[in-house]
Amino acid sequence: MASEDIAKLAESLAKTKVGGGQLSFKGQSLKLNTAEDAEEVIKQIEEFDGLEALRLEGNTVGVEAAKVIAKALEKKSELKRCHWSDMFTGRLRSEIPPALISLGDALITAGAQLVELDLSDNAFGPDGVRGFEALLKSPACYTLQELKLNNCGMGIGGGKILAAALKECHRKSSAQGKPLALKIFVAGRNRLENDGATALAEAFGIIGTLEEVHMPQNGINHPGITALAQAFAINSLLKVINLNDNTFTEKGAVAMAETLKALRQVEVINFGDCLVRSKGALAIADALKEGLHKLKELNLSFCEIKRDAALSVAEAIEDKAELEKLDLNGNCLGEEGCEQLQEILEGFNMATVLGSLSDDEGEEEDDEEEEEEEEEEEEEEEEEEVEQQQLKERGQGEQDSMTPKKIIGSQDSTPVPSPPVDVATFLAFPSPEKLLRLGPKCSVLIAQQTDTSDVEKVVTALLRISSVFKDEASVKTAVHETTDALMKKAFSSATFNSDAFITRLLIHMGLLKSEEKIKAVPSLYGILMTLNHMVQQDYFPKSLAPVLSAFVTKPNRALDSCSFARHMLLQTLHQL
């Protein structure tokens, strides 16, 4: 290490905070690649008697540095809190699991009894969960009370691994007479979806001691929400439920409302941006009338709730003496409805608890149209559930190693008939199952039937294909192959305008403004992961990479909610 680097490191370490059993290197932007880089950090750890909390957030730790730091931790049996969020900035995804394994093994060797483990904001994906799986199953975590894994890109696979590890930890700790008593669980922005959420719900139901659950922005629909609701009912000490920006619909909201009736300690409910809608809001209003006397905050913002249902919610909080905040912004009350809402709360002497209504969408008159839309969505969800169940029954649903060709080609003595799928059906209502059922020629068929001389049609087709992206091998392979066939055909055409393509794509992603009123795609995860594959292919014009990088780098709420996919794409673009 150069002398100027040592001086810089020494200056950073001079800012190290020590006190109350805590050693903090938080936010010092230390770049610890080698054992030599980590010498000063190791020294401070070794010389700290009674180390109970170690903060490494806001630094970047490589594999070799992690090994020597781990060696220093092997003698720190009193360590209880590991604040290790955002400590792998700029690292390759493959570097993170071995680093976590080294650190985890050290805690096990030390005989530590952790109370808090925070690995948030580390984009380690499903493989990263394997990195601390052994730690979670070990005696070091039998005492764990807080587990924070926000924004880690775990995906469905990582969620299942995590759930299994938690169940194993509970089983082993119970055998020793001291069952795992986890209180706080945080796993927002992880693309857990229904399967990941359902797996975790099973673990929650076994643990039964949760007080706070934060799982916003995970792409969970009503099957996953219902599973979580059933698990929450067993966790009678729950105080905080944050499921913001998932998709309840009526089924999920009704299931959650039934659980709320059984819970007595709830203080914070955050179901904002969850598509609860009016029927779901009425069910929640009923739950409010029956209990929830300790409620302090209720967020039902941006849920497509209409006036009468919103007023019912307001009327239901009359006896909630501890309520501090009611958020109904971004719904469909209309000017008159907003006034009525305020009048009701003023009548209860609770006007101050109401949040802003500045983003109200205005009153919608066509109830029949909404009901038809709800019915269509529910029918489509049910159709996909049936299709998935049929695939599982035939032994195909969860086999990550299977390719689309194997799924379509496999035979069964009692085949379950599936409705036929063509390209038009898939592009109109895309789903992973429909893409797989198109068969091994799906990539060729979609490319053939897309007019690649029309940039808008190519962008639309690409967004539909990428919208079904999943980490499961069969789906990922089908999406990649279909994308390659479509975009290779488009970019190889002399009449295809590449600049117009990237412009239209950025507009549809909501990253570039347009004079036209174009609704941005609801989630950027699929297209970001697909672009990460696409930009590495020979057919992709390298001249477009700087443009794409510039827009993906800019601050954007939609991109923030897909930080793992964004990080992967930017890392790839940087390496081109």
Side-chain angles (χ1 to χ4, degrees):
M1 182 183 279
S3 58
E4 58 268 24
D5 292 333
I6 294 174
K8 185 178 178 182
L9 179 60
E11 184 181 347
S12 293
L13 291 172
K15 302 173 186 175
T16 300
K17 296 178 182 178
V18 179
Q22 173 175 286
L23 177 60
S24 176
F25 301 95
K26 182 178 180 180
Q28 294 183 18
S29 301
L30 302 175
K31 295 181 180 179
L32 308 177
N33 298 316
T34 65
E36 186 182 1
D37 294 340
E39 282 179 358
E40 287 295 328
V41 174
I42 294 165
K43 182 182 177 183
Q44 298 234 18
I45 292 172
E46 288 177 339
E47 292 178 354
F48 196 111
D49 292 329
L51 180 64
E52 294 184 7
L54 178 61
R55 308 196 76 106
L56 292 172
E57 311 103 305
N59 299 291
T60 178
V61 181
V63 176
E64 292 305 313
K67 285 181 181 178
V68 291
I69 291 172
K71 194 69 178 174
L73 290 175
E74 286 181 359
K75 298 177 183 178
K76 300 299 175 180
S77 60
E78 296 177 20
L79 187 62
K80 292 179 173 64
R81 298 184 182 275
C82 298
H83 302 280
W84 295 348
S85 63
D86 188 24
M87 69 172 203
F88 296 111
T89 303
R91 297 290 167 188
L92 294 174
R93 189 168 162 182
S94 58
E95 292 181 84
I96 301 176
L100 288 174
I101 289 170
S102 296
L103 294 167
D105 287 349
L107 298 177
I108 297 170
T109 301
Q113 293 186 315
L114 296 185
V115 172
E116 179 179 0
L117 178 61
D118 186 355
L119 292 170
S120 299
D121 300 315
N122 290 310
F124 48 59
D127 294 339
V129 185
R130 294 285 188 197
F132 60 93
E133 180 185 14
L135 173 63
L136 278 181
K137 293 178 179 180
S138 76
C141 284
Y142 290 177
T143 50
L144 195 64
Q145 295 180 15
E146 301 180 30
L147 179 58
K148 300 173 182 178
L149 300 166
N150 202 54
N151 192 30
C152 291
M154 290 190 290
I156 294 171
K160 289 181 176 180
I161 297 167
L162 175 61
L166 288 172
K167 288 190 289 185
E168 182 70 1
C169 180
H170 187 272
R171 185 187 67 79
K172 288 182 175 180
S173 58
S174 297
Q176 292 193 5
K178 293 182 179 179
L180 172 67
L182 192 66
K183 293 181 179 180
I184 298 174
F185 180 83
V186 181
R189 297 181 178 180
N190 272 293
R191 297 301 303 176
L192 295 169
E193 301 184 17
N194 289 331
D195 288 350
T198 301
L200 285 166
E202 187 177 338
F204 296 162
I206 292 170
I207 294 169
T209 56
L210 289 167
E211 295 181 11
E212 295 186 22
V213 175
H214 303 263
M215 296 174 66
Q217 296 182 353
N218 269 299
I220 309 170
N221 298 325
H222 74 80
I225 296 297
T226 300
L228 288 171
Q230 292 168 349
F232 291 168
I234 299 169
N235 288 263
S236 59
L237 300 176
L238 266 175
K239 295 179 181 178
V240 179
I241 304 174
N242 177 8
L243 295 173
N244 188 283
D245 200 7
N246 289 291
T247 307
F248 282 40
T249 62
E250 181 188 348
K251 289 181 179 179
V254 169
M256 194 60 71
E258 284 301 309
T259 285
L260 291 176
K261 291 177 182 178
L263 298 175
R264 297 285 179 266
Q265 307 299 322
V266 176
E267 297 177 2
V268 177
I269 297 172
N270 186 345
F271 296 160
D273 206 9
C274 281
L275 208 64
V276 166
R277 290 190 171 139
S278 296
K279 290 179 181 177
L282 289 172
I284 292 171
D286 286 341
L288 286 165
K289 291 174 185 176
E290 293 190 23
L292 298 171
H293 296 295
K294 294 185 178 182
L295 191 65
K296 294 180 180 179
E297 293 184 22
L298 175 61
N299 184 348
L300 293 174
S301 60
F302 299 94
C303 280
E304 294 190 7
I305 301 170
K306 295 190 177 180
R307 180 181 62 180
D308 290 346
L311 298 181
S312 294
V313 171
E315 290 167 352
I317 67 168
E318 180 179 4
D319 62 345
K320 304 298 176 283
E322 297 186 33
L323 192 70
E324 299 170 0
K325 183 177 180 181
L326 172 64
D327 192 346
L328 287 167
N329 197 18
N331 287 300
C332 311
L333 281 67
E335 186 176 344
E336 185 180 342
C338 290
E339 291 175 359
Q340 288 177 319
L341 182 64
Q342 290 166 335
E343 288 172 6
I344 289 171
L345 294 174
E346 285 171 3
F348 299 155
N349 197 26
M350 297 175 72
T352 56
V353 307
L354 183 63
S356 169
L357 297 172
S358 59
D359 292 320
D360 187 75
E361 296 287 341
E363 190 169 10
E364 295 181 8
E365 296 179 1
D366 198 345
D367 288 340
E368 289 184 8
E369 185 176 328
E370 181 187 333
E371 287 177 8
E372 287 176 6
E373 186 179 315
E374 287 180 13
E375 287 174 4
E376 285 176 6
E377 286 179 2
E378 288 177 6
E379 285 174 6
E380 188 176 339
E381 286 176 359
E382 286 171 4
E383 179 188 337
E384 289 182 7
E385 285 172 36
V386 169
E387 290 171 2
Q388 185 65 31
Q389 186 59 38
Q390 288 174 348
L391 288 172
K392 287 180 180 179
E393 287 173 358
R394 295 165 66 183
Q396 300 169 343
E398 298 296 327
Q399 296 182 30
D400 287 357
S401 62
M402 277 198 165
T403 62
K405 184 173 181 179
K406 288 179 182 175
I407 288 178
I408 300 301
S410 64
Q411 297 296 317
D412 193 291
S413 57
T414 56
V416 180
S418 297
V421 174
D422 56 22
V423 171
T425 302
F426 167 73
L427 292 176
F429 302 102
S431 73
E433 292 74 26
K434 289 191 182 80
L435 181 61
L436 296 180
R437 290 220 315 273
L438 278 172
K441 294 183 178 180
C442 61
S443 57
V444 176
L445 291 171
I446 291 176
Q448 285 178 344
Q449 296 185 40
T450 302
D451 181 2
T452 51
S453 65
D454 188 327
V455 167
E456 188 67 21
K457 288 181 179 177
V458 173
V459 169
T460 301
L462 175 62
L463 289 171
R464 295 294 174 87
I465 294 163
S466 64
S467 71
V468 307
F469 180 92
K470 282 189 176 184
D471 287 324
E472 295 172 18
S474 57
V475 178
K476 184 192 294 187
T477 299
V479 169
H480 286 172
E481 290 178 351
T482 307
T483 298
D484 289 343
L486 173 66
M487 298 314 303
K488 188 174 183 180
K489 178 186 174 185
F491 284 127
S492 62
S493 171
T495 59
F496 188 71
N497 189 326
S498 299
D499 292 333
F501 164 77
I502 201 71
T503 299
R504 297 304 297 174
L505 180 61
L506 291 168
I507 289 171
H508 280 275
M509 291 173 69
L511 306 182
L512 182 64
K513 291 184 178 179
S514 169
E515 294 180 0
E516 307 168 64
K517 191 173 181 181
I518 293 176
K519 188 175 181 181
V521 293
S523 171
L524 294 180
Y525 179 78
I527 184 60
L528 289 172
M529 294 300 284
T530 303
L531 283 169
N532 183 52
H533 165 80
M534 205 168 98
V535 299
Q536 300 177 63
Q537 309 310 309
D538 292 338
Y539 61 73
F540 184 80
K542 297 300 180 278
S543 61
L544 299 182
V547 180
L548 189 56
S549 181
F551 280 92
V552 176
T553 305
K554 286 183 178 180
N556 182 281
R557 182 183 173 188
L559 286 171
D560 290 342
S561 67
C562 301
S563 57
F564 170 72
R566 179 193 208 175
H567 170 78
M568 293 290 289
L569 176 57
L570 287 174
Q571 190 176 58
T572 301
L573 288 169
H574 181 69
Q575 293 171 355
L576 290 178

